[in-house]
Amino acid sequence: MTSDLILQYFPDLSQKQKDQFAGLDDLYRFWNSRINLISRKDIDMLYLHHILHSLAIAKVISFLPGEKILDVGTGGGFPGIPLAILFPDSHFHLVDSIGKKIKVVQEVALASDLKNLVATHARAEQINDKFNFVVSRAVTRLSEFYPWIKGKFLKESINELQNGILYLKGGDLTEEIKESKLNARLIPLTDHFKEDYFETKFVVYIPQ
């Protein structure tokens, strides 16, 4: 599977963006052989399971120039790195509590010439900045996640969507959302992608 999958859904990429997405395969294979970020069999599905999945957020929102986005529990850089490639004029701050993962994120960002991304070895609670949006990919239950990032939002919204959380999650989320007491909206990824992989997967949007 190649970066052509990304072009099917995002056909208006610049040549630099095409090159950046194409380059991720070699970069992640290199780093995955040293630090096990992604299961060995899953690395062959990098573009479907990780990159396109991350870009589902871009089907819900287009980040604007100057907007600040925090990626909590980024792991190997998802969803932050694909989103930073797609939105070069927005600013991305990727955080993870595991240092070796952040090291990989920093190396991939450097090799991909991503000037709009910083990566920090920290817990989300330790980040003192404020953001337009917080993104994440199923790091924990919403009721546990929300306290980490509460109070980290800029008051003024400039996008069509109000500042808030864009959380990639799968399965039956009814109980989890009820437990969290948050005003969450579910956007099914099958609205945007035809692959079977995206059945039962959602972007959970929680305005602030």
Side-chain angles (χ1 to χ4, degrees):
M1 189 167 284
T2 70
S3 58
D4 289 347
L5 177 67
I6 308 304
L7 287 171
Q8 285 179 37
Y9 290 104
F10 298 92
D12 300 325
L13 299 178
S14 68
Q15 188 58 51
K16 180 176 181 178
Q17 288 170 316
K18 290 175 187 176
D19 292 343
Q20 286 171 314
F21 279 122
L24 292 180
D25 188 56
D26 283 346
L27 286 169
Y28 277 106
R29 286 182 187 278
F30 174 83
W31 285 106
N32 209 54
S33 67
R34 284 152 179 77
I35 298 166
N36 193 19
L37 297 164
I38 298 165
S39 72
R40 294 285 186 263
K41 62 179 182 181
D42 212 30
I43 195 73
D44 290 331
M45 304 302 286
L46 177 74
Y47 284 101
L48 177 63
H49 291 180
H50 300 281
I51 298 172
L52 190 60
H53 188 210
S54 296
L55 293 175
I57 288 171
K59 291 295 187 181
V60 175
I61 188 170
S62 289
F63 294 122
L64 298 176
E67 281 193 310
K68 294 163 66 178
I69 298 98
L70 175 66
D71 177 2
V72 174
T74 190
F78 304 105
I81 282 178
L83 291 171
I85 292 173
L86 199 63
F87 299 107
D89 298 320
S90 304
H91 305 290
F92 292 83
H93 191 161
L94 280 58
V95 298
D96 201 281
S97 60
I98 300 173
K100 64 182 182 180
K101 291 185 176 180
I102 284 297
K103 168 70 173 168
V104 171
V105 171
Q106 290 167 339
E107 293 293 341
V108 171
L110 183 66
S112 302
D113 193 32
L114 283 173
K115 305 249 189 332
N116 60 331
L117 182 156
V118 294
T120 305
H121 175 209
R123 295 180 61 81
E125 303 95 311
Q126 297 170 302
I127 304 298
N128 294 320
D129 205 356
K130 291 191 185 297
F131 302 86
N132 297 96
F133 293 94
V134 171
V135 299
S136 191
R137 204 163 71 131
V139 290
T140 188
R141 291 179 74 81
L142 286 167
S143 58
E144 296 172 18
F145 180 79
Y146 188 71
W148 299 350
I149 49 88
K150 190 178 178 183
K152 293 201 185 329
F153 294 93
L154 292 163
K155 285 192 168 62
E156 187 180 350
S157 296
I158 59 172
N159 210 301
E160 286 180 19
L161 276 188
Q162 183 183 331
N163 291 353
I165 300 165
L166 295 153
Y167 200 66
L168 290 163
K169 200 98 199 255
D172 185 349
L173 302 175
T174 312
E175 282 303 312
E176 183 172 338
I177 289 168
K178 189 176 175 183
E179 171 195 54
S180 73
K181 299 184 173 64
L182 295 168
N183 175 27
R185 190 174 112 214
L186 296 180
I187 299 104
L189 300 197
T190 50
D191 287 358
H192 302 287
F193 302 132
K194 66 178 186 295
E195 286 77 9
D196 292 345
Y197 176 73
F198 295 109
E199 286 181 17
T200 76
K201 289 183 169 58
F202 303 90
V203 172
V204 184
Y205 168 57
I206 302 165
Q208 290 307 294

